């Protein structure tokens, strides 16, 4: 069984980050270790959230792992709450990469053309350095624009321009880029990917559903990491991630007692488990 590590915050209520990544990766048949970067009483759509930065635990935890000879087949980094954590994880990812782990970075820092509250351009600079350590980066459109120092409003509208943008992004890590939320066709959601090694572009397209509940991006990243770690090719990994996210959203829309704050991934697990058998 492959051993995988996911590094991100834990929101105790809210169905996102570690609370979705851990069960999803486990359901895919992967031994899943966690390294929490921050503890939140609930995700930030709730008012008055209690937060506790966990930077101080990162080095003692990883030191103990090294003493025990624990290694990982792949490592993913999601939400990191501070500059110090980004710098710290860049160094750790460099070490894990030397041990042959495949490094995934979801550069969580903004959406809708803006950085999240509390993040500035210094954070963007640090995130670029972390992306340099990654084999696979998974930005959304906002994060891609900031990583390339370009205006969000100047993002491409033509296919040939998206190809150029993907190539530019791949130069950050000389690896693979998975770009989420590309809007080339109305009513459709598109993920574009580019592998610098093969110089191949992958395009996966699915129906765009009318809601986007919390946690779907974290689920997408987890399934991509899990599938690629298990040896599934890039195009099939992205397709599986998109299909499972769509199934989760459908279950959310069907659930008359659904919680407003998160996606109903729990009732979608039979779909994912069946897919993993094939």
């Amino acid at each position: 069984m492959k051993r995988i590590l996911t590094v991100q915050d834990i929101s105790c209520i809210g169905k996102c980050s570690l609370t979705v990544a851990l069960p999803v990766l486990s359901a895919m048949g992967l031994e899943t270790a966690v390294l929490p970067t921050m503890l939140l009483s609930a995700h930030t759509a709730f008012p008055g959230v209690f937060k506790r930065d966990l930077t101080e635990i990162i080095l003692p935890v990883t030191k103990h792992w090294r003493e025990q000879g624990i290694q990982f087949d792949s490592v993913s980094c999601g939400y990191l709450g501070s500059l110090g954590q980004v710098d710290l994880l860049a160094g750790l990812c460099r070490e894990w990469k030397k041990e042959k782990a495949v490094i995934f970075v979801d550069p969580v820092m903004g959406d809708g053309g803006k950085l999240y509250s509390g993040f500035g351009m210094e954070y963007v600079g640090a995130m670029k350095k972390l992306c340099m350590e990654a084999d696979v980066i998974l930005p959304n459109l906002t994060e891609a624009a900031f990583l390339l120092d370009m205006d969000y409003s100047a993002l491409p509208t033509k296919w040939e321009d998206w190809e150029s943008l993907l190539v530019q992004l791949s130069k950050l890590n000389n690896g693979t880029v998975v770009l989420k939320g590309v809007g080339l066709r109305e009513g459709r959601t598109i993920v574009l990917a580019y592998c610098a090694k093969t110089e191949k572009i992958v395009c996966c397209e699915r129906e765009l559903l009318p809601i986007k509940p919390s946690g779907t991006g974290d689920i997408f990243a987890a399934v991509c990491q899990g599938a690629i770690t298990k040896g599934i090719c890039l195009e099939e990994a992205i397709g599986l991630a998109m299909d499972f996210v769509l199934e989760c959203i459908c279950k959310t829309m069907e659930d008359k007692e659904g919680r407003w704050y998160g996606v109903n991934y729990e009732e979608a697990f039979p779909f994912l488990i069946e897919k993993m058998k094939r």
Side-chain angles (χ1 to χ4, degrees), residues 2-8 18 21-22 25-26 30-37 58 61-62 65-66 70-78 89 92-93 96-97 99 101-105 221-222 225-226 229:
K2 299 278 189 179
R3 180 187 287 139
I4 203 164
L5 171 64
T6 179
V7 184
Q8 52 189 311
L18 281 182
L22 176 56
L25 290 166
S26 298
L30 292 148
E31 179 189 343
T32 308
V34 301
L35 183 58
T37 58
I58 292 175
V61 168
T62 54
W65 290 344
R66 284 194 298 274
I70 294 171
Q71 295 184 339
F72 303 101
D73 294 290
S74 75
V75 176
S76 67
C77 295
L89 264 299
L92 288 169
C93 284
W96 287 321
K97 198 169 184 178
E99 296 169 356
V102 179
I103 308 298
F104 295 76
V105 172
Q225 180 194 10
T229 302

mmCIF file of all heavy atoms in Angstrom, residues 2-8 18 21-22 25-26 30-37 58 61-62 65-66 70-78 89 92-93 96-97 99 101-105 221-222 225-226 229:
data_model
loop_
_atom_site.group_PDB
_atom_site.id
_atom_site.type_symbol
_atom_site.label_atom_id
_atom_site.label_comp_id
_atom_site.label_asym_id
_atom_site.label_seq_id
_atom_site.Cartn_x
_atom_site.Cartn_y
_atom_site.Cartn_z
ATOM 1 N N LYS A 2 0.562 2.166 -0.895
ATOM 2 C CA LYS A 2 1.307 3.418 -0.960
ATOM 3 C C LYS A 2 1.017 4.264 0.284
ATOM 4 O O LYS A 2 -0.090 4.268 0.811
ATOM 5 C CB LYS A 2 0.904 4.205 -2.202
ATOM 6 C CG LYS A 2 1.182 3.502 -3.530
ATOM 7 C CD LYS A 2 2.603 3.683 -3.956
ATOM 8 C CE LYS A 2 2.810 3.178 -5.378
ATOM 9 N NZ LYS A 2 4.195 3.354 -5.836
ATOM 10 N N ARG A 3 2.047 4.994 0.730
ATOM 11 C CA ARG A 3 1.880 5.901 1.869
ATOM 12 C C ARG A 3 1.944 7.338 1.358
ATOM 13 O O ARG A 3 2.872 7.718 0.638
ATOM 14 C CB ARG A 3 2.963 5.669 2.913
ATOM 15 C CG ARG A 3 2.826 6.610 4.120
ATOM 16 C CD ARG A 3 4.009 6.480 5.060
ATOM 17 N NE ARG A 3 3.947 5.227 5.808
ATOM 18 C CZ ARG A 3 4.998 4.455 6.063
ATOM 19 N NH1 ARG A 3 6.185 4.790 5.594
ATOM 20 N NH2 ARG A 3 4.860 3.352 6.776
ATOM 21 N N ILE A 4 0.977 8.130 1.784
ATOM 22 C CA ILE A 4 0.805 9.476 1.259
ATOM 23 C C ILE A 4 0.709 10.454 2.434
ATOM 24 O O ILE A 4 0.254 10.089 3.516
ATOM 25 C CB ILE A 4 -0.478 9.495 0.393
ATOM 26 C CG1 ILE A 4 -0.498 10.607 -0.634
ATOM 27 C CG2 ILE A 4 -1.727 9.510 1.221
ATOM 28 C CD1 ILE A 4 -1.557 10.389 -1.706
ATOM 29 N N LEU A 5 1.171 11.683 2.242
ATOM 30 C CA LEU A 5 1.080 12.714 3.281
ATOM 31 C C LEU A 5 0.339 13.911 2.726
ATOM 32 O O LEU A 5 0.619 14.383 1.620
ATOM 33 C CB LEU A 5 2.480 13.145 3.726
ATOM 34 C CG LEU A 5 2.556 14.367 4.664
ATOM 35 C CD1 LEU A 5 1.884 14.082 6.006
ATOM 36 C CD2 LEU A 5 4.013 14.804 4.865
ATOM 37 N N THR A 6 -0.617 14.424 3.507
ATOM 38 C CA THR A 6 -1.299 15.659 3.127
ATOM 39 C C THR A 6 -1.067 16.709 4.205
ATOM 40 O O THR A 6 -1.237 16.445 5.392
ATOM 41 C CB THR A 6 -2.808 15.428 2.864
ATOM 42 O OG1 THR A 6 -3.427 16.675 2.531
ATOM 43 C CG2 THR A 6 -3.509 14.792 4.043
ATOM 44 N N VAL A 7 -0.626 17.894 3.773
ATOM 45 C CA VAL A 7 -0.234 18.984 4.673
ATOM 46 C C VAL A 7 -1.163 20.160 4.431
ATOM 47 O O VAL A 7 -1.116 20.797 3.371
ATOM 48 C CB VAL A 7 1.228 19.421 4.408
ATOM 49 C CG1 VAL A 7 1.655 20.481 5.419
ATOM 50 C CG2 VAL A 7 2.177 18.235 4.403
ATOM 51 N N GLN A 8 -2.050 20.435 5.387
ATOM 52 C CA GLN A 8 -2.969 21.567 5.259
ATOM 53 C C GLN A 8 -3.689 21.784 6.584
ATOM 54 O O GLN A 8 -3.437 21.067 7.551
ATOM 55 C CB GLN A 8 -3.966 21.340 4.116
ATOM 56 C CG GLN A 8 -4.719 20.031 4.154
ATOM 57 C CD GLN A 8 -5.517 19.803 2.878
ATOM 58 O OE1 GLN A 8 -6.257 20.683 2.425
ATOM 59 N NE2 GLN A 8 -5.368 18.642 2.281
ATOM 60 N N LEU A 18 -8.275 19.070 5.592
ATOM 61 C CA LEU A 18 -7.956 17.728 6.066
ATOM 62 C C LEU A 18 -9.187 16.865 6.309
ATOM 63 O O LEU A 18 -9.131 15.642 6.160
ATOM 64 C CB LEU A 18 -7.133 17.793 7.358
ATOM 65 C CG LEU A 18 -5.638 18.094 7.204
ATOM 66 C CD1 LEU A 18 -4.959 18.078 8.564
ATOM 67 C CD2 LEU A 18 -4.970 17.084 6.281
ATOM 68 N N ALA A 21 -9.770 15.579 2.792
ATOM 69 C CA ALA A 21 -8.626 14.908 2.161
ATOM 70 C C ALA A 21 -8.342 13.550 2.789
ATOM 71 O O ALA A 21 -8.099 12.561 2.077
ATOM 72 C CB ALA A 21 -7.383 15.800 2.245
ATOM 73 N N LEU A 22 -8.375 13.474 4.122
ATOM 74 C CA LEU A 22 -8.057 12.218 4.800
ATOM 75 C C LEU A 22 -9.034 11.096 4.431
ATOM 76 O O LEU A 22 -8.603 10.019 4.009
ATOM 77 C CB LEU A 22 -8.014 12.444 6.310
ATOM 78 C CG LEU A 22 -7.788 11.208 7.187
ATOM 79 C CD1 LEU A 22 -6.513 10.478 6.798
ATOM 80 C CD2 LEU A 22 -7.751 11.589 8.661
ATOM 81 N N LEU A 25 -8.651 10.140 0.501
ATOM 82 C CA LEU A 25 -7.441 9.388 0.178
ATOM 83 C C LEU A 25 -7.481 7.979 0.774
ATOM 84 O O LEU A 25 -7.044 7.014 0.149
ATOM 85 C CB LEU A 25 -6.214 10.151 0.665
ATOM 86 C CG LEU A 25 -5.907 11.438 -0.105
ATOM 87 C CD1 LEU A 25 -4.907 12.295 0.660
ATOM 88 C CD2 LEU A 25 -5.389 11.127 -1.497
ATOM 89 N N SER A 26 -8.034 7.861 1.969
ATOM 90 C CA SER A 26 -8.166 6.542 2.587
ATOM 91 C C SER A 26 -9.109 5.659 1.782
ATOM 92 O O SER A 26 -8.846 4.470 1.576
ATOM 93 C CB SER A 26 -8.667 6.685 4.026
ATOM 94 O OG SER A 26 -7.756 7.420 4.815
ATOM 95 N N LEU A 30 -5.194 4.282 0.114
ATOM 96 C CA LEU A 30 -3.866 4.810 0.401
ATOM 97 C C LEU A 30 -3.711 5.010 1.909
ATOM 98 O O LEU A 30 -4.618 5.524 2.570
ATOM 99 C CB LEU A 30 -3.664 6.150 -0.306
ATOM 100 C CG LEU A 30 -3.591 6.064 -1.831
ATOM 101 C CD1 LEU A 30 -4.172 7.310 -2.466
ATOM 102 C CD2 LEU A 30 -2.164 5.846 -2.292
ATOM 103 N N GLU A 31 -2.569 4.586 2.447
ATOM 104 C CA GLU A 31 -2.278 4.909 3.838
ATOM 105 C C GLU A 31 -1.990 6.407 3.904
ATOM 106 O O GLU A 31 -1.054 6.897 3.262
ATOM 107 C CB GLU A 31 -1.057 4.135 4.336
ATOM 108 C CG GLU A 31 -0.698 4.460 5.773
ATOM 109 C CD GLU A 31 0.626 3.885 6.225
ATOM 110 O OE1 GLU A 31 1.136 2.958 5.557
ATOM 111 O OE2 GLU A 31 1.164 4.376 7.232
ATOM 112 N N THR A 32 -2.787 7.123 4.673
ATOM 113 C CA THR A 32 -2.730 8.579 4.634
ATOM 114 C C THR A 32 -2.288 9.157 5.968
ATOM 115 O O THR A 32 -2.936 8.972 6.991
ATOM 116 C CB THR A 32 -4.100 9.165 4.249
ATOM 117 O OG1 THR A 32 -4.554 8.545 3.046
ATOM 118 C CG2 THR A 32 -4.010 10.658 4.032
ATOM 119 N N ALA A 33 -1.156 9.858 5.936
ATOM 120 C CA ALA A 33 -0.660 10.588 7.101
ATOM 121 C C ALA A 33 -1.038 12.057 6.948
ATOM 122 O O ALA A 33 -1.216 12.546 5.829
ATOM 123 C CB ALA A 33 0.857 10.440 7.215
ATOM 124 N N VAL A 34 -1.144 12.758 8.070
ATOM 125 C CA VAL A 34 -1.531 14.166 8.015
ATOM 126 C C VAL A 34 -0.537 15.019 8.789
ATOM 127 O O VAL A 34 0.056 14.573 9.771
ATOM 128 C CB VAL A 34 -2.952 14.398 8.565
ATOM 129 C CG1 VAL A 34 -3.973 13.604 7.783
ATOM 130 C CG2 VAL A 34 -3.045 14.060 10.051
ATOM 131 N N LEU A 35 -0.360 16.249 8.312
ATOM 132 C CA LEU A 35 0.431 17.245 9.023
ATOM 133 C C LEU A 35 -0.394 18.533 9.040
ATOM 134 O O LEU A 35 -0.409 19.282 8.064
ATOM 135 C CB LEU A 35 1.774 17.472 8.328
ATOM 136 C CG LEU A 35 2.738 18.447 9.007
ATOM 137 C CD1 LEU A 35 3.073 18.005 10.429
ATOM 138 C CD2 LEU A 35 4.021 18.588 8.188
ATOM 139 N N PRO A 36 -1.138 18.794 10.136
ATOM 140 C CA PRO A 36 -1.988 19.982 10.188
ATOM 141 C C PRO A 36 -1.166 21.260 10.352
ATOM 142 O O PRO A 36 -0.237 21.311 11.155
ATOM 143 C CB PRO A 36 -2.888 19.741 11.404
ATOM 144 C CG PRO A 36 -2.129 18.781 12.258
ATOM 145 C CD PRO A 36 -1.286 17.951 11.335
ATOM 146 N N THR A 37 -1.520 22.273 9.581
ATOM 147 C CA THR A 37 -0.792 23.538 9.620
ATOM 148 C C THR A 37 -1.479 24.578 10.495
ATOM 149 O O THR A 37 -0.845 25.520 10.964
ATOM 150 C CB THR A 37 -0.660 24.114 8.203
ATOM 151 O OG1 THR A 37 -1.985 24.288 7.649
ATOM 152 C CG2 THR A 37 0.139 23.186 7.309
ATOM 153 N N ILE A 58 5.488 21.552 13.381
ATOM 154 C CA ILE A 58 5.894 20.957 12.112
ATOM 155 C C ILE A 58 7.276 20.293 12.201
ATOM 156 O O ILE A 58 7.446 19.124 11.808
ATOM 157 C CB ILE A 58 5.853 22.010 10.988
ATOM 158 C CG1 ILE A 58 4.390 22.416 10.715
ATOM 159 C CG2 ILE A 58 6.492 21.469 9.705
ATOM 160 C CD1 ILE A 58 4.230 23.539 9.713
ATOM 161 N N VAL A 61 7.359 17.144 14.633
ATOM 162 C CA VAL A 61 6.647 16.000 14.043
ATOM 163 C C VAL A 61 7.480 15.358 12.936
ATOM 164 O O VAL A 61 7.663 14.136 12.900
ATOM 165 C CB VAL A 61 5.266 16.439 13.508
ATOM 166 C CG1 VAL A 61 4.651 15.347 12.643
ATOM 167 C CG2 VAL A 61 4.330 16.780 14.662
ATOM 168 N N THR A 62 7.995 16.171 12.021
ATOM 169 C CA THR A 62 8.757 15.609 10.900
ATOM 170 C C THR A 62 10.091 15.036 11.369
ATOM 171 O O THR A 62 10.598 14.076 10.787
ATOM 172 C CB THR A 62 8.981 16.670 9.813
ATOM 173 O OG1 THR A 62 9.585 17.849 10.382
ATOM 174 C CG2 THR A 62 7.654 17.072 9.175
ATOM 175 N N TRP A 65 9.347 11.585 12.518
ATOM 176 C CA TRP A 65 9.176 10.696 11.366
ATOM 177 C C TRP A 65 10.530 10.240 10.813
ATOM 178 O O TRP A 65 10.715 9.068 10.496
ATOM 179 C CB TRP A 65 8.394 11.414 10.268
ATOM 180 C CG TRP A 65 6.943 11.643 10.590
ATOM 181 C CD1 TRP A 65 6.210 11.038 11.568
ATOM 182 C CD2 TRP A 65 6.053 12.546 9.932
ATOM 183 N NE1 TRP A 65 4.921 11.492 11.565
ATOM 184 C CE2 TRP A 65 4.782 12.414 10.570
ATOM 185 C CE3 TRP A 65 6.186 13.429 8.866
ATOM 186 C CZ2 TRP A 65 3.674 13.155 10.161
ATOM 187 C CZ3 TRP A 65 5.082 14.160 8.463
ATOM 188 C CH2 TRP A 65 3.845 14.039 9.104
ATOM 189 N N ARG A 66 11.463 11.194 10.712
ATOM 190 C CA ARG A 66 12.790 10.824 10.194
ATOM 191 C C ARG A 66 13.475 9.820 11.122
ATOM 192 O O ARG A 66 14.126 8.869 10.663
ATOM 193 C CB ARG A 66 13.663 12.071 10.033
ATOM 194 C CG ARG A 66 13.313 12.915 8.814
ATOM 195 C CD ARG A 66 14.400 13.930 8.497
ATOM 196 N NE ARG A 66 14.586 14.887 9.577
ATOM 197 C CZ ARG A 66 13.885 16.001 9.722
ATOM 198 N NH1 ARG A 66 12.939 16.304 8.855
ATOM 199 N NH2 ARG A 66 14.123 16.825 10.726
ATOM 200 N N ILE A 70 10.369 6.895 8.513
ATOM 201 C CA ILE A 70 9.118 6.965 7.752
ATOM 202 C C ILE A 70 9.316 7.816 6.499
ATOM 203 O O ILE A 70 9.795 8.946 6.565
ATOM 204 C CB ILE A 70 7.991 7.541 8.623
ATOM 205 C CG1 ILE A 70 7.678 6.570 9.768
ATOM 206 C CG2 ILE A 70 6.739 7.820 7.794
ATOM 207 C CD1 ILE A 70 6.735 7.114 10.799
ATOM 208 N N GLN A 71 8.941 7.252 5.366
ATOM 209 C CA GLN A 71 9.023 7.957 4.095
ATOM 210 C C GLN A 71 7.669 7.894 3.392
ATOM 211 O O GLN A 71 6.804 7.088 3.742
ATOM 212 C CB GLN A 71 10.118 7.357 3.212
ATOM 213 C CG GLN A 71 11.513 7.522 3.789
ATOM 214 C CD GLN A 71 12.602 7.005 2.864
ATOM 215 O OE1 GLN A 71 12.358 6.198 1.973
ATOM 216 N NE2 GLN A 71 13.816 7.491 3.073
ATOM 217 N N PHE A 72 7.507 8.754 2.388
ATOM 218 C CA PHE A 72 6.219 8.870 1.704
ATOM 219 C C PHE A 72 6.399 8.705 0.199
ATOM 220 O O PHE A 72 7.403 9.117 -0.376
ATOM 221 C CB PHE A 72 5.596 10.234 1.998
ATOM 222 C CG PHE A 72 5.410 10.501 3.464
ATOM 223 C CD1 PHE A 72 6.319 11.308 4.158
ATOM 224 C CD2 PHE A 72 4.362 9.935 4.166
ATOM 225 C CE1 PHE A 72 6.161 11.546 5.515
ATOM 226 C CE2 PHE A 72 4.196 10.165 5.525
ATOM 227 C CZ PHE A 72 5.101 10.968 6.202
ATOM 228 N N ASP A 73 5.374 8.110 -0.415
ATOM 229 C CA ASP A 73 5.374 7.999 -1.875
ATOM 230 C C ASP A 73 4.990 9.317 -2.522
ATOM 231 O O ASP A 73 5.445 9.624 -3.627
ATOM 232 C CB ASP A 73 4.407 6.895 -2.309
ATOM 233 C CG ASP A 73 4.877 5.524 -1.853
ATOM 234 O OD1 ASP A 73 5.879 5.039 -2.406
ATOM 235 O OD2 ASP A 73 4.263 4.957 -0.934
ATOM 236 N N SER A 74 4.139 10.080 -1.853
ATOM 237 C CA SER A 74 3.819 11.423 -2.338
ATOM 238 C C SER A 74 3.420 12.314 -1.170
ATOM 239 O O SER A 74 2.993 11.838 -0.123
ATOM 240 C CB SER A 74 2.704 11.398 -3.396
ATOM 241 O OG SER A 74 1.442 11.174 -2.810
ATOM 242 N N VAL A 75 3.595 13.613 -1.379
ATOM 243 C CA VAL A 75 3.282 14.628 -0.366
ATOM 244 C C VAL A 75 2.513 15.746 -1.048
ATOM 245 O O VAL A 75 2.881 16.180 -2.147
ATOM 246 C CB VAL A 75 4.568 15.212 0.262
ATOM 247 C CG1 VAL A 75 4.233 16.337 1.236
ATOM 248 C CG2 VAL A 75 5.390 14.126 0.946
ATOM 249 N N SER A 76 1.432 16.206 -0.408
ATOM 250 C CA SER A 76 0.712 17.361 -0.954
ATOM 251 C C SER A 76 0.648 18.479 0.071
ATOM 252 O O SER A 76 0.506 18.235 1.265
ATOM 253 C CB SER A 76 -0.713 16.973 -1.366
ATOM 254 O OG SER A 76 -1.488 16.631 -0.239
ATOM 255 N N CYS A 77 0.775 19.705 -0.401
ATOM 256 C CA CYS A 77 0.654 20.899 0.446
ATOM 257 C C CYS A 77 -0.570 21.681 -0.006
ATOM 258 O O CYS A 77 -0.679 22.046 -1.183
ATOM 259 C CB CYS A 77 1.888 21.784 0.323
ATOM 260 S SG CYS A 77 3.407 21.026 0.931
ATOM 261 N N GLY A 78 -1.478 21.943 0.944
ATOM 262 C CA GLY A 78 -2.653 22.756 0.661
ATOM 263 C C GLY A 78 -2.525 24.099 1.357
ATOM 264 O O GLY A 78 -1.498 24.774 1.232
ATOM 265 N N LEU A 89 7.897 24.597 4.640
ATOM 266 C CA LEU A 89 7.487 23.476 3.803
ATOM 267 C C LEU A 89 8.311 23.373 2.532
ATOM 268 O O LEU A 89 8.517 22.277 2.012
ATOM 269 C CB LEU A 89 6.002 23.606 3.469
ATOM 270 C CG LEU A 89 5.047 22.807 4.372
ATOM 271 C CD1 LEU A 89 5.338 21.309 4.274
ATOM 272 C CD2 LEU A 89 5.110 23.241 5.813
ATOM 273 N N LEU A 92 11.229 21.310 3.595
ATOM 274 C CA LEU A 92 10.832 19.926 3.847
ATOM 275 C C LEU A 92 10.509 19.193 2.548
ATOM 276 O O LEU A 92 10.877 18.021 2.369
ATOM 277 C CB LEU A 92 9.623 19.896 4.782
ATOM 278 C CG LEU A 92 9.908 20.274 6.239
ATOM 279 C CD1 LEU A 92 8.606 20.463 7.009
ATOM 280 C CD2 LEU A 92 10.781 19.220 6.912
ATOM 281 N N CYS A 93 9.834 19.878 1.628
ATOM 282 C CA CYS A 93 9.522 19.250 0.337
ATOM 283 C C CYS A 93 10.788 18.900 -0.423
ATOM 284 O O CYS A 93 10.863 17.868 -1.107
ATOM 285 C CB CYS A 93 8.628 20.168 -0.495
ATOM 286 S SG CYS A 93 6.907 20.200 0.060
ATOM 287 N N TRP A 96 11.894 15.661 1.121
ATOM 288 C CA TRP A 96 11.031 14.542 0.732
ATOM 289 C C TRP A 96 11.247 14.170 -0.733
ATOM 290 O O TRP A 96 11.187 12.994 -1.092
ATOM 291 C CB TRP A 96 9.574 14.905 0.985
ATOM 292 C CG TRP A 96 9.202 14.915 2.443
ATOM 293 C CD1 TRP A 96 9.610 14.043 3.402
ATOM 294 C CD2 TRP A 96 8.343 15.843 3.103
ATOM 295 N NE1 TRP A 96 9.068 14.366 4.629
ATOM 296 C CE2 TRP A 96 8.277 15.471 4.473
ATOM 297 C CE3 TRP A 96 7.606 16.955 2.690
ATOM 298 C CZ2 TRP A 96 7.518 16.154 5.413
ATOM 299 C CZ3 TRP A 96 6.848 17.649 3.623
ATOM 300 C CH2 TRP A 96 6.804 17.249 4.965
ATOM 301 N N LYS A 97 11.513 15.179 -1.549
ATOM 302 C CA LYS A 97 11.751 14.908 -2.966
ATOM 303 C C LYS A 97 13.029 14.094 -3.164
ATOM 304 O O LYS A 97 13.093 13.200 -4.014
ATOM 305 C CB LYS A 97 11.814 16.231 -3.732
ATOM 306 C CG LYS A 97 11.637 16.096 -5.237
ATOM 307 C CD LYS A 97 11.450 17.459 -5.878
ATOM 308 C CE LYS A 97 11.186 17.326 -7.368
ATOM 309 N NZ LYS A 97 10.946 18.642 -8.000
ATOM 310 N N GLU A 99 13.997 11.912 -1.240
ATOM 311 C CA GLU A 99 13.626 10.550 -0.847
ATOM 312 C C GLU A 99 12.655 9.919 -1.844
ATOM 313 O O GLU A 99 12.034 8.903 -1.566
ATOM 314 C CB GLU A 99 13.007 10.578 0.548
ATOM 315 C CG GLU A 99 13.989 11.046 1.623
ATOM 316 C CD GLU A 99 13.314 11.329 2.962
ATOM 317 O OE1 GLU A 99 12.059 11.227 3.042
ATOM 318 O OE2 GLU A 99 14.028 11.637 3.931
ATOM 319 N N ALA A 101 9.793 11.090 -3.052
ATOM 320 C CA ALA A 101 8.367 11.403 -2.954
ATOM 321 C C ALA A 101 7.973 12.340 -4.105
ATOM 322 O O ALA A 101 8.739 13.224 -4.492
ATOM 323 C CB ALA A 101 8.055 12.068 -1.622
ATOM 324 N N VAL A 102 6.771 12.132 -4.651
ATOM 325 C CA VAL A 102 6.213 13.046 -5.647
ATOM 326 C C VAL A 102 5.526 14.179 -4.885
ATOM 327 O O VAL A 102 4.700 13.935 -4.009
ATOM 328 C CB VAL A 102 5.206 12.326 -6.565
ATOM 329 C CG1 VAL A 102 4.617 13.307 -7.578
ATOM 330 C CG2 VAL A 102 5.877 11.155 -7.273
ATOM 331 N N ILE A 103 5.889 15.415 -5.222
ATOM 332 C CA ILE A 103 5.402 16.574 -4.468
ATOM 333 C C ILE A 103 4.283 17.287 -5.234
ATOM 334 O O ILE A 103 4.451 17.663 -6.394
ATOM 335 C CB ILE A 103 6.539 17.574 -4.186
ATOM 336 C CG1 ILE A 103 7.741 16.879 -3.534
ATOM 337 C CG2 ILE A 103 6.025 18.723 -3.324
ATOM 338 C CD1 ILE A 103 7.464 16.252 -2.190
ATOM 339 N N PHE A 104 3.142 17.467 -4.558
ATOM 340 C CA PHE A 104 1.993 18.192 -5.103
ATOM 341 C C PHE A 104 1.813 19.480 -4.295
ATOM 342 O O PHE A 104 1.858 19.452 -3.062
ATOM 343 C CB PHE A 104 0.712 17.371 -4.970
ATOM 344 C CG PHE A 104 0.690 16.099 -5.775
ATOM 345 C CD1 PHE A 104 1.407 14.980 -5.368
ATOM 346 C CD2 PHE A 104 -0.067 16.010 -6.936
ATOM 347 C CE1 PHE A 104 1.383 13.800 -6.100
ATOM 348 C CE2 PHE A 104 -0.098 14.835 -7.678
ATOM 349 C CZ PHE A 104 0.628 13.725 -7.258
ATOM 350 N N VAL A 105 1.592 20.583 -4.982
ATOM 351 C CA VAL A 105 1.317 21.855 -4.292
ATOM 352 C C VAL A 105 0.057 22.477 -4.870
ATOM 353 O O VAL A 105 -0.022 22.747 -6.076
ATOM 354 C CB VAL A 105 2.495 22.846 -4.416
ATOM 355 C CG1 VAL A 105 2.090 24.218 -3.864
ATOM 356 C CG2 VAL A 105 3.723 22.332 -3.677
ATOM 357 N N ALA A 221 -8.166 18.124 -5.496
ATOM 358 C CA ALA A 221 -6.718 17.984 -5.320
ATOM 359 C C ALA A 221 -6.363 16.635 -4.700
ATOM 360 O O ALA A 221 -5.385 15.992 -5.098
ATOM 361 C CB ALA A 221 -6.191 19.128 -4.445
ATOM 362 N N ALA A 222 -7.169 16.188 -3.723
ATOM 363 C CA ALA A 222 -6.894 14.912 -3.060
ATOM 364 C C ALA A 222 -7.019 13.750 -4.034
ATOM 365 O O ALA A 222 -6.166 12.852 -4.065
ATOM 366 C CB ALA A 222 -7.846 14.724 -1.878
ATOM 367 N N GLN A 225 -4.058 13.711 -6.454
ATOM 368 C CA GLN A 225 -2.857 13.200 -5.800
ATOM 369 C C GLN A 225 -2.944 11.688 -5.621
ATOM 370 O O GLN A 225 -2.002 10.953 -5.939
ATOM 371 C CB GLN A 225 -2.652 13.852 -4.436
ATOM 372 C CG GLN A 225 -1.394 13.344 -3.716
ATOM 373 C CD GLN A 225 -1.345 13.699 -2.251
ATOM 374 O OE1 GLN A 225 -2.319 14.179 -1.688
ATOM 375 N NE2 GLN A 225 -0.216 13.465 -1.611
ATOM 376 N N GLY A 226 -4.079 11.224 -5.117
ATOM 377 C CA GLY A 226 -4.237 9.795 -4.874
ATOM 378 C C GLY A 226 -4.140 8.975 -6.140
ATOM 379 O O GLY A 226 -3.463 7.932 -6.174
ATOM 380 N N THR A 229 -0.565 8.996 -7.578
ATOM 381 C CA THR A 229 0.296 8.192 -6.705
ATOM 382 C C THR A 229 0.085 6.699 -6.957
ATOM 383 O O THR A 229 1.024 5.898 -6.862
ATOM 384 C CB THR A 229 0.019 8.513 -5.222
ATOM 385 O OG1 THR A 229 0.241 9.916 -5.009
ATOM 386 C CG2 THR A 229 0.940 7.737 -4.298
#
